[in-house]
Amino acid sequence: MMTAVGVIVVIITVYFLIKRYDARLVLLASGIIMACVAGTPMVSLNAFAKEMTNSGLIQAVCSVMGFAMVMKYTECDKHLINLMANGLSKVRPLLIPGVVLATYAVNVALPSAAGTAAAAGAIFVPLMMSAGVHPAMAGAAVKCGTYGSMLNPGLAHNPFVAKIAGVGVMDVIAFHFKANIASLLTATILITLIAYYRKEHTGYKAEGFEAEASFKVKHLYALMPIFPIVILILGATAIIPAFKMDVPQAMVIGSLVALLVTRKNPVNLSNAFFDGMGKAYGEILGIIIAAGVFVSGLTAIGLVKAFTDSMLSNPAIVKICAAVGPFILGLVVGSGDAATFAFNQAITPHAADFGMSVVQMGSMATLGGTLGRTMSPIAGATIIIAGIAGVNPMEIAKRNCLPMVGAMIVGMLFLLA
């Protein structure tokens, strides 16, 4: 009986998420309701308190978002994007694949998909349209690259999986690195072929869209967004052992170096860093906390055990569920976070029971959810890019459909290899 009630609550939860109600409110309410039905209301509240002090996640996510706000304040992100745009404008045949790869690179350094969409879209969409690329295809090319955050140690899912597995964040990234690059190359090739097949790679007459040719790029500024990533990679690979450090230290060092290079107001820069940290806790960690409460409700009402038992009886469906489940929910809801966090909290700790490692299953769920969100017409990043290009978000989603599905298939094959 309780299992049936739980299923009904989950269906209602998905409905409200699709209707774009606040994910934190929906997940919190659902988790508390299921815990109350199970007769253990304090389970959900205890989960809330526990998730609030998840130190590993707080350190990584908040420090990265603080650094991202510093890059926005100093305009170093703008210099990086314009530097890439200047190079791409000189090789028109490689413009579309180049924009996908460049956007991906920007998203690695600046892990917010919506932030990357706004910053990169404002430069790359006008650049492509002025070169004759159809507006919807220009938007699709930028959107196609907005999952580079998978390679950023501050993406909440990376430290989340690392904590469950008991390994370092860079170990998680090292595991899914090849799968991510393979999926990126697949998506890049497919979006380029679609552009040529639809004849949208050239011939469009843009009015009022001109690249920011007058912008003077400062190369040292352009290097600042990737500085902490370089430090972390050099330290994690022992190329420079002295650089071995955790994410927060690297982000603070990156912010200090940016201050020295740009000579901006130290007070304003400090405010930007802490504003970013606060925003990260409220918006990103808020979803993680709510997902934890939701999973506690699922556990209390018996759905997690029922789901786990069904997968143990049918191990063949586990790999499909880990990838396709978060992908579909990311597509439908417009955010891969809620589905991925819930899956990784409830199922991924039991990965060994299905013949998989925690990092493997967690990476599959993360990549699936991220690619689903990248394809979604209602994702915030899609809506931002559509606004810049002046097209319907659905037009961008249609062009990204095949590239994202292809990217998921190839990425999952690499993760399962």
Side-chain angles (χ1 to χ4, degrees):
M1 178 62 181
M2 283 202 300
T3 302
V5 174
V7 171
I8 293 172
V9 173
V10 170
I11 292 172
I12 295 173
T13 301
V14 173
Y15 171 79
F16 281 118
L17 288 174
I18 292 173
K19 289 296 183 180
R20 297 187 65 78
Y21 283 79
D22 183 78
R24 293 166 297 185
L25 174 61
V26 173
L27 293 173
L28 277 172
S30 299
I32 293 173
I33 289 171
M34 286 188 287
C36 289
V37 170
T40 55
M42 287 306 297
V43 167
S44 59
L45 300 181
N46 290 340
F48 181 88
K50 179 182 177 182
E51 294 297 331
M52 284 180 66
T53 57
N54 199 328
S55 60
L57 290 176
I58 293 172
Q59 291 175 8
V61 176
C62 290
S63 61
V64 167
M65 291 307 295
F67 176 75
M69 288 296 287
V70 167
M71 292 299 97
K72 182 177 181 180
Y73 166 66
T74 59
E75 295 191 333
C76 288
D77 57 349
K78 197 172 183 180
H79 285 270
L80 173 63
I81 294 166
N82 275 277
L83 175 64
M84 292 179 173
N86 290 341
L88 290 172
S89 64
K90 298 173 184 177
V91 283
R92 295 299 175 91
L94 300 177
L95 187 57
I96 291 175
V99 163
V100 176
L101 298 175
T103 303
Y104 190 92
V106 170
N107 198 206
V108 171
L110 307 171
S112 167
T116 297
I123 305 299
F124 292 150
V125 170
L127 171 68
M128 285 188 285
M129 290 176 65
S130 64
V133 178
H134 188 280
M137 183 53 66
V142 174
K143 188 63 171 65
C144 200
T146 55
Y147 69 99
S149 54
M150 280 284 294
L151 301 184
N152 189 298
L155 177 71
H157 299 287
N158 287 325
F160 193 79
V161 173
K163 185 175 180 63
I164 296 173
V167 299
V169 177
M170 296 306 293
D171 294 324
V172 175
I173 294 175
F175 179 84
H176 62 59
F177 174 79
K178 291 182 180 178
N180 269 275
I181 297 303
S183 70
L184 169 65
L185 294 177
T186 301
T188 302
I189 292 170
L190 289 174
I191 195 72
T192 303
L193 291 176
I194 291 171
Y196 277 80
Y197 175 78
R198 297 175 64 103
K199 295 181 171 55
E200 293 181 346
H201 64 292
T202 187
Y204 180 79
K205 302 296 182 182
E207 294 183 8
F209 279 87
E210 297 178 357
E212 200 172 347
S214 61
F215 188 87
K216 301 298 182 185
V217 175
K218 295 181 180 180
H219 292 77
L220 198 55
Y221 282 34
L223 293 176
M224 291 301 100
I226 64 173
F227 187 78
I229 307 297
V230 173
I231 290 177
L232 288 169
I233 292 174
L234 291 176
T237 56
I239 295 176
I240 304 181
F243 282 2
K244 187 171 180 58
M245 63 185 74
D246 291 329
V247 175
Q249 291 88 327
M251 296 303 151
V252 171
I253 291 173
S255 299
L256 291 174
V257 173
L259 175 62
L260 294 175
V261 169
T262 62
R263 297 186 299 280
K264 292 285 186 177
N265 186 305
V267 175
N268 291 340
L269 186 141
S270 175
N271 289 339
F273 187 89
F274 286 104
D275 285 345
M277 288 181 63
K279 185 177 181 181
Y281 194 96
E283 296 184 4
I284 299 175
L285 287 166
I287 295 179
I288 297 174
I289 293 169
V293 174
F294 179 68
V295 170
S296 73
L298 290 175
T299 303
I301 210 166
L303 276 183
V304 170
K305 185 177 186 304
F307 187 45
T308 304
D309 289 344
S310 67
M311 289 199 298
L312 282 170
S313 302
N314 302 278
I317 70 170
V318 176
K319 296 175 182 178
I320 296 175
C321 290
V324 178
F327 179 87
I328 293 175
L329 278 177
L331 168 63
V332 173
V333 176
S335 169
D337 288 346
T340 304
F341 282 129
F343 184 93
N344 279 337
Q345 276 199 332
I347 307 300
T348 300
H350 308 288
D353 295 335
F354 309 113
M356 301 173 68
S357 71
V358 168
V359 175
Q360 184 182 31
M361 181 176 280
S363 296
M364 290 177 67
T366 302
L367 183 59
T370 303
L371 291 174
R373 181 262 301 157
T374 305
M375 180 177 156
S376 175
I378 62 173
T382 307
I383 294 170
I384 291 170
I385 294 171
I388 295 172
V391 299
N392 189 304
M394 187 59 72
E395 293 301 312
I396 292 177
K398 286 194 300 186
R399 288 161 175 79
N400 261 336
C401 178
L402 184 59
M404 289 303 105
V405 172
M408 185 187 70
I409 293 172
V410 171
M412 295 308 159
L413 288 175
F414 267 78
L415 288 174
L416 290 170

